Amino acid sequence: MTTATNHTQHNCVQSMFDTLIDINQGYDVMIERADTSVRRQLAALQNQHARDIAEIYSHASDAGFDLDRSGTIMGEVHKTAVKLRDLFSDIDRDALDAVVDGEENVLKRYDDAIKCLSPGDTLHNVLVAQRTSLRAKIEKLSEAA
């Protein structure tokens, strides 16, 4: 694999990885402030993302990608957006539509990262499985909203 290809793959995976970290930071605040009727669903998404982050990190390391686990400024943006929403409305079933929209963006990031990796690579397969699992969770969440 050329250095340029390796660099491109690393950037694609890092970008998706950052998205997971950032959105998980938003869930920290959201779960804390959420109505009990949706807290369990939000916690399930956050737990799934936490497991996915750990799994991606492990497989990326095995593939020679040194991922940064600090996330981006978007983590702070997600936390601020949750706090603002909480000021003006409840974080209840009505908030699930916004959660679904955010998770749809995560799926797009998965798609982008998957396209950068070679089919059959372990990390590619891990991302495909995680995306499939997340898609199923989003469908259930959409039905609940």
Side-chain angles (χ1 to χ4, degrees), residues 2-48:
T2 67
T3 302
T5 300
N6 192 9
H7 185 68
T8 299
Q9 289 176 337
H10 178 273
N11 287 346
C12 287
V13 173
Q14 182 68 58
S15 179
M16 195 257 338
F17 192 66
D18 286 340
T19 299
L20 287 175
I21 291 169
D22 294 343
I23 201 165
N24 234 28
Q25 290 177 11
Y27 281 128
D28 285 341
V29 177
M30 188 176 276
I31 291 167
E32 185 179 290
R33 295 168 179 250
D35 187 73
T36 55
S37 66
V38 296
R39 194 173 289 145
R40 189 181 93 252
Q41 292 162 306
L42 298 174
L45 278 169
Q46 183 185 41
N47 290 335
Q48 180 67 50

Side-chain angles (χ1 to χ4, degrees), residues 22-46 49 75 77-86 89-103 141:
D22 294 343
I23 201 165
N24 234 28
Q25 290 177 11
Y27 281 128
D28 285 341
V29 177
M30 188 176 276
I31 291 167
E32 185 179 290
R33 295 168 179 250
D35 187 73
T36 55
S37 66
V38 296
R39 194 173 289 145
R40 189 181 93 252
Q41 292 162 306
L42 298 174
L45 278 169
Q46 183 185 41
H49 287 317
V77 171
H78 290 306
K79 290 191 277 188
T80 301
V82 169
K83 291 174 186 175
L84 286 172
R85 181 178 184 109
D86 189 41
S89 69
D90 294 331
I91 299 175
D92 56 12
R93 292 215 177 275
D94 292 337
L96 292 182
D97 286 333
V99 170
V100 168
D101 288 344
E103 292 296 337
L141 194 60

